[in-house]
Amino acid sequence: MSPEACLESCPDKCDGKCWDPTHCQIRKDKCSSGGGGNCYRDSDGELQAPCSTECLGGCSHPDSRVSPEHCFSCLNVWYTSNNVSVCVDKCPEDFLSYKDWKCISEEECMRLRNP
């Protein structure tokens, strides 16, 4: 086993939360610009642009504060509309919640029950 496998401490840029000597854990942090959304520090410890409050763990698009279709993962549930996955707080009216993480249509639900 590598001597780095059980670190005694993390690099300063990681604020005590790292996977190894070079990779910080992605973590939620206060946005320096204020305003809405959530900001995250990336694996280099750098503060990223704000994400939608529906995102969990960050987003892939700069300044996605009002754009919940760029989340790495969803805080609540997600559904697909026009071939785009969107994070939402609850499923839209015509969708059913599947295992409390994905919104599916009634047709998709029936296919799960009768493959």
Side-chain angles (χ1 to χ4, degrees):
M1 179 184 275
S2 166
E4 296 173 344
C6 298
L7 295 176
E8 293 289 325
S9 64
C10 293
D12 290 340
K13 68 179 183 176
C14 297
D15 195 29
K17 295 173 175 59
C18 61
W19 297 112
D20 59 40
T22 57
H23 296 95
C24 302
Q25 291 181 14
I26 294 174
R27 64 193 190 280
K28 192 174 178 178
D29 205 342
K30 291 183 180 176
C31 297
S32 58
S33 62
N38 294 322
C39 287
Y40 293 87
R41 292 199 177 270
D42 66 13
S43 62
D44 292 324
E46 298 294 320
L47 190 63
Q48 300 300 299
C51 297
S52 165
T53 55
E54 287 301 321
C55 294
L56 181 64
C59 52
S60 62
H61 193 274
D63 203 9
S64 293
R65 137 185 34 217
V66 294
S67 182
E69 63 266 3
H70 298 287
C71 301
F72 291 145
S73 61
C74 298
L75 180 62
N76 295 296
V77 294
W78 67 274
Y79 77 102
T80 302
S81 176
N82 298 322
N83 293 322
V84 175
S85 294
V86 180
C87 295
V88 292
D89 63 336
K90 61 182 180 181
C91 294
E93 189 174 309
D94 294 338
F95 289 82
L96 306 168
S97 177
Y98 177 68
K99 296 190 177 185
D100 291 330
W101 65 271
K102 181 180 180 182
C103 302
I104 60 174
S105 68
E106 188 175 344
E107 181 181 312
E108 289 174 292
C109 181
M110 296 307 277
R111 281 194 302 242
L112 290 171
R113 298 177 87 194
N114 301 310

